[in-house]
Amino acid sequence: MNEEILNLYQAYNVAMAADDVAALDKLLAPGFTLTHMTGYIQPRSEWLGELQRGTMRYFSSIEDHVTVTPEADGWRVTGQNRVLASIHGSGRHEWPLNTEMTVHQIAGQWQIMAAVVTTY
């Protein structure tokens, strides 16, 4: 099971780096939120809209380390990736991002409920 959840985390990072909104749409739970390193909690639809409009652009996500931990109602994934992105018109910058992700099963499918991003 850990491998399936790890694959979900990696698929999320691949889709994010490719600005693949269709793939992210399948991976993210309807109530998904993304807490940015600024502390802003962004709803799913708003984040996906920014990806579609290009106001948030991700170019690459290189994994440094990831752990998958079972919880009573799902899984917790903690990953460190170096992410190259351009946010709201800024130039390309690389951030070392720590992502704390919760994953639950919805209608028989593992989906990402929330992601909280800080730097490491």
Side-chain angles (χ1 to χ4, degrees):
M1 183 60 67
N2 285 10
E3 189 171 325
E4 183 179 2
I5 303 304
L6 175 61
N7 289 340
L8 177 72
Y9 171 79
Q10 291 170 334
Y12 165 87
N13 281 295
V14 167
M16 184 181 70
D19 295 324
D20 188 343
V21 174
L24 287 168
D25 188 55
K26 293 176 184 175
L27 299 172
L28 306 177
F32 171 84
T33 58
L34 173 62
T35 304
H36 292 275
M37 60 186 184
T38 61
Y40 177 64
I41 301 171
Q42 189 170 36
R44 176 188 196 276
S45 62
E46 184 181 311
W47 184 53
L48 294 178
E50 290 212 47
L51 291 174
Q52 286 178 316
R53 289 187 300 279
T55 53
M56 297 187 93
R57 299 267 341 262
Y58 299 94
F59 303 101
S60 65
S61 180
I62 299 169
E63 186 179 295
D64 284 334
H65 181 74
V66 63
T67 59
V68 177
T69 308
E71 295 192 327
D73 58 349
W75 296 86
R76 175 166 303 278
V77 181
T78 303
Q80 290 86 36
N81 287 49
R82 288 172 282 123
V83 176
L84 182 63
S86 173
I87 306 299
H88 299 136
S90 70
R92 289 181 185 214
H93 296 282
E94 184 178 89
W95 285 278
L97 297 182
N98 183 80
T99 302
E100 292 280 341
M101 186 179 283
T102 54
V103 178
H104 293 168
Q105 199 167 44
I106 299 173
Q109 182 178 353
W110 291 105
Q111 290 192 309
I112 302 165
M113 304 302 293
V116 178
V117 177
T118 57
T119 57
Y120 68 97

